[in-house]
Amino acid sequence: MTANIQTIFFDVGNTLRIVLPDQEFIDRAEAGLMELIGTTESHDTLFAKLEERWKAYRKQSKTTLLDASEGELWTQYMLPEYDPNMIFANAPKLTRLWRDHDGRRVARPDAVATIKELHRRGYTLGIIANTVTETEIPDWMAADGVAQCFKTTILSSKVRLRKPDPDIYHLACRCIGTPEANCAYVGDNPVRDVEGTQAAGFGMMIRIDEPDTLNKEKATGKEFTPDHVITSLSELLDIFPERA
């Protein structure tokens, strides 16, 4: 099966990148968000409200398998009582600050080297990610020098479709020009990533074992078995040999 794989798609969160706790970084992000919207609410009041609304939005998006744009997220779900013009204009910044209030996101230690080697070996690479931000992933790719390795980047915040909807995988295949049977997917989620990939007819699914994801993911009663389970991205180099 490996010989037939031409394209490898990646998830990003907890697959290519992980979150590191950094309280100073978090404090700056939260202060920046409060300053940006000019709030008169206390820190605890504002962020308790945002967390509650974020959970409600996430529950809805996971049910409908549709994601809002950044502007819609902030004007309709997160801060509807604030001036919509101001919030809409600052939506990209708000999204980044909201993401940063979880912690500092960095690439796994072996991510960049593995991506570059797979690209050198002749594989076409792409991204399929559920994300609320349209800029964070492209900015990371440019900063870490791997942007040229990826042919297609499919983000749920831009295309609205959300994993595990097979349509987001089909869209990625059309954009990159490879049939599903000749594509592999690498992700961390034992339900969403495996289910969506297999429903879309991908030739291979590889799950990276991420304890943080396994602790949060709730079982659905269905069994989705990946083709491989790895503990580090560099193990992909044992699965995907150099292409002729």
Side-chain angles (χ1 to χ4, degrees):
M1 185 180 296
T2 302
N4 295 325
I5 298 298
Q6 303 168 14
T7 293
I8 306 169
F9 286 103
F10 289 88
D11 174 46
V12 177
N14 280 342
T15 298
L16 293 178
R17 302 176 80 202
I18 56 175
V19 181
L20 299 180
D22 183 334
Q23 194 58 52
E24 183 178 346
F25 182 81
I26 292 169
D27 290 343
R28 285 201 304 270
E30 293 180 349
L33 191 152
M34 295 179 71
E35 181 180 0
L36 186 60
I37 64 174
T39 187
T40 57
E41 300 178 84
S42 70
H43 171 277
D44 291 352
T45 298
L46 176 65
F47 281 93
K49 179 175 66 177
L50 289 176
E51 288 289 354
E52 182 179 358
R53 292 175 176 178
W54 173 246
K55 289 178 182 177
Y57 168 74
R58 293 285 287 170
K59 182 178 181 180
Q60 174 183 305
S61 66
K62 288 181 178 181
T63 300
T64 62
L65 297 185
L66 296 172
D67 264 338
S69 68
E70 290 180 294
E72 291 170 339
L73 173 68
W74 286 96
T75 57
Q76 297 180 26
Y77 297 96
M78 298 292 280
L79 292 172
E81 70 273 33
Y82 282 71
D83 174 29
N85 293 325
M86 181 271 291
I87 293 298
F88 188 87
N90 288 294
K93 294 180 181 178
L94 287 169
T95 307
R96 294 292 288 270
L97 291 167
W98 179 249
R99 296 272 291 168
D100 287 349
H101 108 113
D102 290 336
R104 186 187 300 276
R105 286 172 168 81
V106 299
R108 288 182 183 271
D110 54 351
V112 171
T114 300
I115 289 166
K116 289 182 176 180
E117 177 60 17
L118 289 171
H119 182 256
R120 188 200 68 77
R121 290 185 181 188
Y123 293 93
T124 304
L125 306 182
I127 297 288
I128 307 173
N130 286 351
T131 178
V132 294
T133 170
E134 298 181 13
T135 60
E136 180 185 305
I137 291 174
D139 285 352
W140 158 68
M141 291 161 63
D144 274 6
V146 295
Q148 73 281 3
C149 297
F150 291 97
K151 184 177 179 181
T152 297
T153 302
I154 303 295
L155 308 177
S156 64
S157 57
K158 296 194 72 172
V159 304
R160 304 302 181 92
L161 300 169
R162 179 180 174 84
K163 298 182 298 183
D165 187 340
D167 284 346
I168 194 171
Y169 296 93
H170 295 318
L171 173 63
C173 290
R174 291 196 300 272
C175 289
I176 215 162
T178 306
E180 285 80 353
N182 301 118
C183 293
Y185 190 75
V186 183
D188 66 299
N189 193 291
V191 177
R192 183 167 61 243
D193 288 334
V194 184
E195 175 185 0
T197 303
Q198 294 181 345
F202 272 39
M204 184 182 295
M205 197 287 149
I206 300 159
R207 181 176 68 79
I208 186 165
D209 196 9
E210 173 52 54
D212 185 54
T213 301
L214 296 177
N215 289 336
K216 294 179 181 178
E217 183 61 49
K218 295 182 180 179
T220 63
K222 300 178 182 179
E223 291 295 329
F224 303 103
T225 304
D227 297 291
H228 299 275
V229 177
I230 60 176
T231 56
S232 65
L233 289 171
S234 59
E235 292 175 58
L236 294 174
L237 302 180
D238 297 325
I239 299 172
F240 298 109
E242 190 139 0
R243 287 180 54 76

